Amino acid sequence: MKVIKDIKALQNISDYFRATIKTIGFVPTMGYLHDGHTSLLQKARMDSEVVVVSIFVNPTQFLPHEDYNEYPRDFLRDYHICKNYGVDYIFYPDMKSVYPDDFLTEVRVKEISDRLEGIYRPGHFVGVTTIVTKLINIVKPHYIYLGQKDAQQSIILKKMCEDLNIDTEIKICPTIREKTGLALSSRNIYLTDEQKTEATVLYEALNEGKKMILDYKVVDTDSVKKYVSNYIARKSKNIKLQYFAITDSYLMNEIENLKNYKGDVVLSLAAFIGKTRLIDNIFFNYTN
Ligand code: PAF
């Protein structure tokens, strides 16, 4: 396994693999890898001849008051994890090579970036789409592996690749959870043990929402939203729900009534537990 810091060097390596018809699987990360990431590494290893992981805590996707400085970083730990999972290249660039002083460009996927997470984290997705475009141009992957945990991010990046005719396929892989149901996230290290236990209510609440729709056949999504929000309030005093949404899985448009709806439904939420903001979601297919 090689660690590459230089952008041009990685582009040359990628050109070589593309020219020799070797498939490149890419897992973009901000490091502090957990089992969610390693499940992506496993998928990439199974599908591709060359596996590249990027480790870069991207400042432009953090809002000024967010946890960019505190975000966990441990390159050596990540290095060993990548080695154990058979990664071929770690791309670990310096800040200045990614964002030189005269950097001016932004990539923005309209509409989807402004809803749900975009309302509470304005500008966040522009940071994501801009860095991922750069990473794609550097790594030149055939496949990119993303976790469903960040559903809106994955959906936006899929749309970006579709709209810009980017020659790479986004593969959205299942959320990995603790036995309790808590979705794995690098930010879980901010939680105390009690908060971790309390946070399991979020996944429970998503499943309650799904049950209302699929088992109790509730089609009016406002009623489902009220039920889920009351469920969380009843089960936990310390969780502050920011939003709970019922959307489609293509553009994340809110569904008002499921009566005439067919297709994948995404239930997604964001909530604070103490100072830590958690997101989670579930997807399921709906036919009336
Ligand atoms: O999901 C993440 O870790 C980041 O948003 C990504 C895709 C690596 C871009 O910085």
Side-chain angles (χ1 to χ4, degrees):
M1 184 175 78
K2 288 206 168 74
V3 178
I4 312 271
K5 285 180 115 30
D6 186 68
I7 290 176
K8 195 72 211 150
L10 186 52
Q11 282 176 318
N12 290 339
I13 291 168
S14 302
D15 283 342
Y16 168 78
F17 287 126
R18 281 233 168 207
T20 52
I21 325 186
K22 296 257 190 321
T23 48
I24 305 174
F26 176 42
V27 182
T29 82
M30 299 207 296
Y32 213 71
L33 306 180
H34 51 66
D35 288 353
H37 296 111
T38 58
S39 75
L40 304 179
L41 299 182
Q42 279 173 324
K43 295 236 164 53
R45 189 65 285 168
M46 281 191 305
D47 294 351
S48 304
E49 280 144 315
V50 182
V51 175
V52 182
V53 174
S54 63
I55 298 179
F56 179 68
V57 185
N58 174 39
T60 64
Q61 67 189 77
F62 289 79
L63 273 68
H65 63 276
E66 289 183 344
D67 56 342
Y68 172 71
N69 288 324
E70 296 78 47
Y71 198 85
R73 293 159 170 89
D74 189 341
F75 180 73
L76 218 57
R77 178 179 169 278
D78 291 340
Y79 176 92
H80 289 297
I81 293 174
C82 288
K83 206 165 170 44
N84 282 341
Y85 281 85
V87 169
D88 298 300
Y89 295 94
I90 298 181
F91 179 48
Y92 184 53
D94 293 332
M95 190 61 67
K96 277 277 178 249
S97 60
V98 177
Y99 295 118
D101 290 338
D102 58 354
F103 188 82
L104 292 176
T105 302
E106 280 180 354
V107 179
R108 184 165 106 85
V109 178
K110 289 186 282 187
E111 296 179 26
I112 326 176
S113 301
D114 301 327
R115 48 183 76 129
L116 306 176
E117 284 297 287
I119 296 173
Y120 299 96
R121 305 185 70 194
H124 164 69
F125 287 121
V126 173
V128 172
T129 40
T130 304
I131 188 66
V132 174
T133 304
K134 281 180 72 83
L135 292 169
I136 289 171
N137 286 330
I138 296 165
V139 178
K140 308 183 188 202
H142 296 86
Y143 306 120
I144 299 184
Y145 297 83
L146 297 169
Q148 188 203 300
K149 156 85 177 13
D150 295 300
Q152 194 173 355
Q153 162 173 287
S154 305
I155 287 168
I156 288 171
L157 290 171
K158 252 192 170 185
K159 190 75 184 93
M160 179 184 89
C161 289
E162 179 188 316
D163 287 356
L164 299 181
N165 307 102
I166 295 176
D167 185 17
T168 189
E169 187 188 328
I170 303 263
K171 296 198 181 227
I172 305 181
C173 306
T175 302
I176 304 297
R177 299 179 181 279
E178 290 190 1
K179 280 202 193 81
T180 58
L182 178 65
L184 296 192
S185 159
S186 303
R187 288 191 169 101
N188 288 357
I189 61 149
Y190 302 146
L191 299 173
T192 62
D193 286 346
E194 286 104 72
Q195 287 176 327
K196 271 192 175 174
T197 308
E198 209 156 349
T200 59
V201 168
L202 298 177
Y203 184 52
E204 268 173 42
L206 289 168
N207 281 303
E208 287 292 316
K210 178 177 167 185
K211 211 183 333 171
M212 285 213 46
I213 295 171
L214 292 186
D215 297 351
Y216 304 139
K217 313 279 179 221
V218 179
V219 289
D220 159 33
T221 54
D222 265 347
S223 305
V224 181
K225 284 189 199 170
K226 272 189 203 121
Y227 179 80
V228 167
S229 143
N230 288 338
Y231 181 91
I232 294 172
R234 211 170 57 240
K235 289 274 178 163
S236 161
K237 297 233 166 350
N238 300 312
I239 293 180
K240 300 274 164 288
L241 183 67
Q242 207 167 39
Y243 68 81
F244 168 70
I246 303 176
T247 66
D248 69 81
S249 66
Y250 179 55
L251 298 179
M252 293 200 99
N253 279 315
E254 298 245 13
I255 305 168
E256 274 167 26
N257 197 302
L258 288 152
K259 207 161 144 216
N260 298 314
Y261 186 83
K262 241 191 180 114
D264 278 343
V265 173
V266 187
L267 305 188
S268 54
L269 57 76
F272 276 96
I273 177 151
K275 286 198 173 122
T276 307
R277 186 173 184 277
L278 298 176
I279 57 170
D280 201 354
N281 66 79
I282 53 176
F283 280 50
F284 56 90
N285 193 263
Y286 185 82
T287 37
N288 222 323

